[in-house]
Amino acid sequence: MTFAAADVARADTTSSEPIRAQPGPQFYALSCGADFVVFGGAAGGGKALSLETLIPTPKGWTTMGALVAGEVVFDERGNAWRIVTAWAVIEQPKSYRVTFDDSSTIEACADHLWLTFDAKELEALTRRDPVFRARRRETRASRSTVGAGQRWQHTQEHRQYLSERMTQWNRAHPPPILAAPVGGLRTTADIAVTLTARGGRSNHAVPVAAPLETPDRDLPLDPYVLGCWLGDGTSTSGDIAIGPADAVAMRQLFAESGWTTTARSSVYLYGVPGLVTRLRGLGVVGRKRKHVPPPYLRASRAQRLALLQGLMDTDGTVGRDGRHVSFCTTHPQLRNDVYELIVSLGWKVGTTERRAILRMSSQPPKDCGSAWNLWFSADVPVFRLKRKRDRQRLAQR
């Protein structure tokens, strides 16, 4: 198996944020306080990935084998870094295929370093989360009591009063909270031999990458309007289907984006004058041509969120618990694009497939092919429609 490795440095040299050492020997060398540090080892050690590994860049996607010095890539925090050195391709005697719970895979060498949280660290991370602790205090009864033995000659009302005072004092003087675990650096080989914890559950979790930090783009069409059309627009025109319950609110949202809407003969269909011209310029008009144009997938975080809000207002739903939201589509390319869009905003996505069945009272059911649901939890509102936004419960972690 052939692998490649690269070293990177921050691309924006005008940033006031200091250069951050990479996990592992670089970090320990800079933090140890020694006057002189000697570091030895093979070039690219602990960084080798398969040549076919997809790498995100501000211009789109490339592969590990195609990287060259000077190219800009994103790190796990969404920041852009410029490649300083692209090491020669190396042969690794042993490699591993790492599969994540969202079905994505990466092939890495045995010494590749991963920041993971094991089962014990994840449990401690949950117990020390402020939101979890506050919710537990609200639901758990106080355990401070005043005894009723011979030494306590108090009435029941007096004992209850003292217990309440003790509870108030304990809550006003909480014990110190231990620092949350920060995970640990583990090699692929280490993860392989400790893959499961007691009971057979997964023993390692890798933090989800942060949102891509990209500048605003001069886009030819408002991203929210494009999202609405991609969700419920007629593929051969600029018309958009809007349900009666959302007609007033949606038309107002379009007006706020600078677009007027006109009612068609159908009760659900609305025309948007001038929209089809913009859509043709983006190359999305036509049967089976719906997709997210590449510039929108590398637009700023606010612009990408607006695009997602348009998609979710039309073809998105809120789960019963309010914490999970989902987007449904029958277009394979749009499914892939929306998946990338959601991931670029820092959220993990699950995908389920089912058959799309059209049911009409006067005709037998019609199988319209595959439909995909992309479900996720978000820490910001992914809807602009009030009836959907009010049902969404924001993720706390």
Side-chain angles (χ1 to χ4, degrees), residues 188-204:
T188 313
D190 292 336
I191 295 174
V193 298
T194 59
L195 195 57
T196 56
R198 183 177 299 177
R201 60 175 176 165
S202 298
N203 189 40
H204 292 279

Side-chain angles (χ1 to χ4, degrees), residues 182-375:
V182 295
L185 288 173
R186 283 124 181 163
T187 66
T188 313
D190 292 336
I191 295 174
V193 298
T194 59
L195 195 57
T196 56
R198 183 177 299 177
R201 60 175 176 165
S202 298
N203 189 40
H204 292 279
V206 176
V208 176
L212 299 184
E213 297 298 337
T214 51
D216 281 336
R217 280 180 175 262
D218 185 12
L219 301 174
L221 176 61
D222 182 277
Y224 177 77
V225 174
L226 174 61
C228 290
W229 182 84
L230 289 173
D232 266 345
T234 303
S235 60
T236 56
S237 72
D239 292 350
I240 296 179
I242 305 175
D246 298 325
V248 174
M250 287 292 293
R251 298 183 74 177
Q252 178 61 33
L253 288 170
F254 267 68
E256 293 173 359
S257 299
W259 292 87
T260 58
T261 53
T262 58
R264 299 296 194 194
S265 57
S266 170
V267 68
Y268 299 110
L269 205 59
Y270 290 83
V272 186
L275 179 59
V276 69
T277 303
R278 300 282 186 91
L279 295 172
R280 286 199 183 101
L282 291 171
V284 296
V285 177
R287 297 189 183 279
K288 299 183 179 180
R289 296 192 65 183
K290 278 192 175 184
H291 67 278
V292 178
Y296 285 81
L297 293 173
R298 290 297 183 267
S300 69
R301 184 178 181 181
Q303 290 172 319
R304 299 197 310 273
L305 178 60
L307 173 63
L308 180 61
Q309 288 172 333
L311 289 158
M312 296 297 290
D313 276 355
T314 49
D315 267 353
T317 58
V318 185
R320 292 182 178 180
D321 61 359
R323 290 193 297 268
H324 292 90
V325 297
S326 64
F327 173 81
C328 182
T329 182
T330 58
H331 299 271
Q333 185 58 51
L334 188 58
R335 170 204 61 190
N336 296 339
D337 293 342
V338 175
Y339 182 97
E340 180 179 345
L341 174 66
I342 298 170
V343 171
S344 78
L345 290 167
W347 302 315
K348 185 173 71 172
V349 186
T351 305
T352 56
E353 182 179 356
R354 59 178 176 82
R355 304 303 296 178
I357 306 298
L358 177 63
R359 303 182 187 277
M360 302 181 65
S361 57
S362 59
Q363 300 178 7
K366 178 182 178 181
D367 188 340
C368 299
S370 295
W372 294 273
N373 276 308
L374 308 179
W375 50 272

Side-chain angles (χ1 to χ4, degrees), residues 76-104:
E76 76 282 2
R77 298 185 179 182
N79 297 317
W81 292 74
R82 192 175 303 280
I83 296 176
V84 175
T85 305
W87 301 103
V89 175
I90 56 178
E91 293 286 341
Q92 289 286 339
K94 188 174 184 179
S95 65
Y96 293 82
R97 175 172 294 170
V98 182
T99 303
F100 298 87
D101 61 2
D102 64 352
S103 300
S104 59

Side-chain angles (χ1 to χ4, degrees), residues 4-225:
D7 289 333
V8 296
R10 180 172 293 282
D12 182 10
T13 56
T14 63
S15 174
S16 59
E17 184 177 342
I19 296 296
R20 176 173 56 85
Q22 298 300 299
Q26 291 184 20
F27 176 81
Y28 300 134
L30 291 181
S31 61
C32 69
D35 294 328
F36 297 95
V37 175
V38 178
F39 176 74
K47 305 172 187 174
L49 294 172
S50 170
L51 297 179
E52 290 75 29
T53 303
L54 292 175
I55 305 295
T57 77
K59 297 180 180 180
W61 291 90
T62 187
T63 61
M64 190 69 181
L67 292 178
V68 295
E71 194 162 1
V72 177
V73 297
F74 290 108
D75 69 0
E76 76 282 2
R77 298 185 179 182
N79 297 317
W81 292 74
R82 192 175 303 280
I83 296 176
V84 175
T85 305
W87 301 103
V89 175
I90 56 178
E91 293 286 341
Q92 289 286 339
K94 188 174 184 179
S95 65
Y96 293 82
R97 175 172 294 170
V98 182
T99 303
F100 298 87
D101 61 2
D102 64 352
S103 300
S104 59
T105 61
I106 290 180
E107 291 190 17
C109 68
D111 294 330
H112 188 87
L113 293 173
W114 304 83
L115 174 64
T116 79
F117 289 78
D118 62 22
K120 291 183 178 179
E121 291 168 335
L122 281 176
E123 186 178 353
L125 195 65
T126 298
R127 291 198 308 269
R128 294 166 194 171
D129 180 67
V131 176
F132 171 82
R133 292 173 63 86
R135 188 180 299 118
R136 184 177 61 179
R137 284 195 299 269
E138 293 175 357
T139 58
R140 189 170 64 177
S142 173
R143 291 178 291 179
S144 61
T145 59
V146 176
Q150 294 182 355
R151 296 182 58 188
W152 298 91
Q153 302 300 323
H154 303 294
T155 64
Q156 182 177 355
E157 291 77 8
H158 195 191
R159 288 198 301 271
Q160 182 177 356
Y161 167 77
L162 293 176
S163 296
E164 292 175 353
R165 289 296 302 271
M166 292 175 65
T167 299
Q168 294 173 3
W169 192 95
N170 289 337
R171 290 181 175 176
H173 302 81
I177 301 175
L178 297 176
V182 295
L185 288 173
R186 283 124 181 163
T187 66
T188 313
D190 292 336
I191 295 174
V193 298
T194 59
L195 195 57
T196 56
R198 183 177 299 177
R201 60 175 176 165
S202 298
N203 189 40
H204 292 279
V206 176
V208 176
L212 299 184
E213 297 298 337
T214 51
D216 281 336
R217 280 180 175 262
D218 185 12
L219 301 174
L221 176 61
D222 182 277
Y224 177 77
V225 174

